[in-house]
Amino acid sequence: MLKGARRSFSWKDYRDLLVRSHIQLGGPIVAVRDNLNTHLAAGLKQYGAEHDWLTTVHLPPCAPDLNPVEAIWSLVRRAMASTAFETPDDLDHKLRRELRRIQLRPHPIDGCLSATGLTPTPPTPP
């Protein structure tokens, strides 16, 4: 990575992800966003207001019960508790290993989704 380069998504990156998802899925998109400053950017809000295929829902502040990502991070933190890392690379390696472990085992992710009241698979139409 280039020194000084952005290491996270900008609002334009999120916009582009939504556009590509809309094109690939061929239907409307509902984006549930937390209060990350990039999610609250004026440009992203304006883009959403100008496109009827995009519906955005903002989570309230401090609502970990509604955000399955918070539960996933809780699993990662629990797995890394009481660990002393000698270098930032050691921390990075352990973090990546824990995320990969969760990725390969769907049951913890299903549990994190279920805790929010969301369903892991879309309901079948009547």
Side-chain angles (χ1 to χ4, degrees):
M1 177 169 293
L2 297 174
K3 187 174 181 174
R6 187 178 182 95
R7 296 183 61 154
S8 62
F9 272 31
S10 70
W11 75 264
K12 291 178 181 177
D13 295 322
Y14 282 110
R15 177 203 59 204
D16 294 348
L17 176 63
L18 292 166
V19 169
R20 287 179 189 3
S21 299
H22 172 63
I23 291 168
Q24 183 174 354
L25 297 172
I29 300 289
V30 176
V32 179
R33 302 187 297 204
D34 59 16
N35 290 293
L36 180 70
N37 61 353
T38 308
H39 295 169
L40 301 174
L44 195 55
K45 285 182 185 180
Q46 180 179 346
Y47 186 82
E50 294 171 352
H51 294 84
D52 62 353
W53 56 264
L54 178 59
T55 301
T56 59
V57 178
H58 289 278
L59 293 173
C62 294
D65 296 351
L66 300 175
N67 190 347
V69 173
E70 295 296 336
I72 292 169
W73 280 120
S74 177
L75 293 173
V76 171
R77 285 191 303 269
R78 204 172 314 144
M80 296 173 63
S82 302
T83 304
F85 300 100
E86 292 185 25
T87 68
D89 286 340
D90 292 339
L91 170 63
D92 183 65
H93 179 72
K94 175 69 171 177
L95 178 61
R96 289 175 187 275
R97 187 171 57 222
E98 289 304 319
L99 289 171
R100 180 73 173 153
R101 185 179 61 80
I102 291 170
Q103 181 183 15
L104 294 173
R105 295 177 49 227
H107 298 298
I109 295 172
D110 291 347
C112 293
L113 285 170
S114 296
T116 66
L118 301 171
T119 56
T121 56
T124 56

